[in-house]
Each structure stands twice: as structure tokens, then as C-alpha cells.
Amino acid sequence: MAEKFGIMVVTGEGVGILWQLTGVIARRGGNITSVEILAEVAGEARTFFEIDEVDDAEGLFEELKALEIVMNAELVKTLDAIYGKRIIIMGGGAQVGQVALGAVSEADRHNIRGERISVDTIPLVGEAQLADAVRGVARLPRACALVLAGSLMGGEIEKAVREVRAQGLLVVSLNMAGSVPDAADLVVTDPVQAGVMTVMAVASTAKFTISQLKRRVF
């Protein structure tokens, strides 16, 4: 299979810009795996594509550059190659910080061996806010695991957890009050250890699989 690659395209603003860009990619047989329209500045719009299944990436690149609407274009590495798998930690600030401590330390151990794992955090409280944020993780590029760090979570948050798990997202919860721990894939009491175990669960360089555990609460 052809290697996945990225293209950053700078164009003017206007109607139908994205249609013209994707038309070139489609004609070349490219499969767009990710697209993001970045902030428009001074009348210029930047669009980032990640594309695979193209045998002639250079030819596609040159055809895009030849479009009248294109001011500049650049072949770049994909975000997956640079930042890799993405772990999201959300909940109460103190607990989030402790989970991040374990996750970042463990990710560093794997990343120096060639892995790519990044860790994002958001201190957040409130049932509605957290439920929205949980559902939003399923829409984030490269997100493969979510850690819920708090003292009490349930209700609409539990429903959101079950929804994103059904979409393939790994959910780890601290051992807290409420119904969220019942809905999670893995429940860990110590926040630092929760961060460590989450990274181990998603790392290709770790021999750890949650499905093989004989218990799910630690």
C-alpha cells in the first residue's frame, strides 16, 4: 500500500475552493483520511490533507500546485507520524494533573523507542460539560483513549462513555463515586497508575492488553 502523506495547501478565500482541491485528489485516486481547514489569515486559507492510496504523490502535489486558486503548497509529514496516538485526560484539575504525570512519564519511555504517543488534558467540571467533552473525543483526530479523572461522575456522562466505547474508543476511569466506573473499560484507583496503564494499553511497544486482564478494577 502507498505510504500516507500530508499536503498543506494555501489558497485564497472563496466558494468552491475545497471542491476544486478534492477534485484533483479524487482524479488521482487519493483516499483522504483527514482534512482540516485552518484559520484564515489576511485573505488566505490553509487546508491540510492526509492522503493515502496514491502511487504518485509527487504528481498529485504538482497538479494541486498548478491550480489557479493555489498560492502555495507543501508536502509534509502526517500528524500521525509526528504526534502519533492521542490520549485525552479530562476531569478535576488535581486528578487530571496526576494522571498526566503517569501518562507523560510512560509515553516518554515508549517514544524514545520509536513510538509516537501524545497526551492532552482539560480540567473540566459539570455533568453537561463533561458529557459533551466525552462525546467530542470520538471526533478528535488520532484520539484512541480517554481517561476520566474525578471524584464523582455519572448520569449523562455515563451515557456518553457508553456511546464512545461503542465507537471503539478506550475509556479508563479513576475509581470514583457515580456510575461512570461501571461503564468504563478499565477502572484504576491510583491516578498516576491510571495514566501509566492507559499508555501501556495503546502503545505498540508494550505487551499489555486490557481484554486479557482477569479483572477490570485495580
Side-chain angles (χ1 to χ4, degrees):
M1 181 180 292
E3 184 178 354
K4 184 186 292 186
F5 60 96
I7 296 181
M8 178 68 75
V9 184
V10 180
T11 66
E13 300 175 355
V15 177
I17 297 292
L18 186 60
W19 175 77
Q20 294 184 61
L21 298 177
T22 56
V24 172
I25 297 170
R27 285 195 298 273
R28 288 277 179 167
N31 177 41
I32 300 172
T33 59
S34 178
V35 60
E36 183 172 2
I37 300 175
L38 306 175
E40 297 180 349
V41 179
E44 294 184 356
R46 295 182 300 150
T47 306
F48 173 66
F49 295 97
E50 292 191 356
I51 306 165
D52 64 11
E53 299 183 10
V54 175
D55 294 326
D56 185 11
E58 191 66 35
L60 187 155
F61 173 67
E62 292 299 331
E63 188 171 344
L64 278 173
K65 284 184 65 176
L67 291 174
E68 291 185 4
I69 60 170
V70 175
M71 301 175 179
N72 189 27
E74 183 181 3
L75 278 171
V76 295
K77 290 184 178 180
T78 65
L79 294 179
D80 186 61
I82 299 171
Y83 293 106
K85 301 167 185 173
R86 193 175 182 186
I87 294 172
I88 312 297
I89 307 168
M90 66 177 66
Q95 293 98 327
V96 165
Q98 289 300 297
V99 174
L101 176 65
V104 170
S105 298
E106 183 67 12
D108 180 65
R109 188 171 73 87
H110 292 282
N111 288 347
I112 61 176
R113 294 155 59 190
E115 186 87 44
R116 284 292 182 272
I117 299 173
S118 55
V119 180
D120 295 324
T121 64
I122 175 168
L124 197 62
V125 296
E127 181 180 340
Q129 292 88 338
L130 277 165
D132 287 341
V134 169
R135 292 186 173 101
V137 174
R139 302 191 296 271
L140 290 176
R142 300 176 294 102
C144 61
L146 166 66
V147 185
L148 288 168
S151 301
L152 171 64
M153 294 186 193
E156 194 63 29
I157 306 171
E158 178 200 349
K159 294 179 183 178
V161 167
R162 295 189 185 277
E163 290 173 15
V164 296
R165 282 187 63 201
Q167 297 175 54
L169 185 72
L170 171 68
V171 180
V172 177
S173 169
L174 293 189
N175 198 352
M176 66 179 88
S179 56
V180 160
D182 295 331
D185 292 285
L186 183 67
V187 181
V188 184
T189 301
D190 180 73
V192 176
Q193 187 65 18
V196 171
M197 293 180 75
T198 303
V199 172
M200 290 176 63
V202 304
S204 300
T205 49
K207 297 180 179 179
F208 175 71
T209 305
I210 287 180
S211 61
Q212 295 180 349
L213 294 175
K214 295 183 178 178
R215 59 193 178 101
R216 52 177 292 277
V217 179
F218 292 86

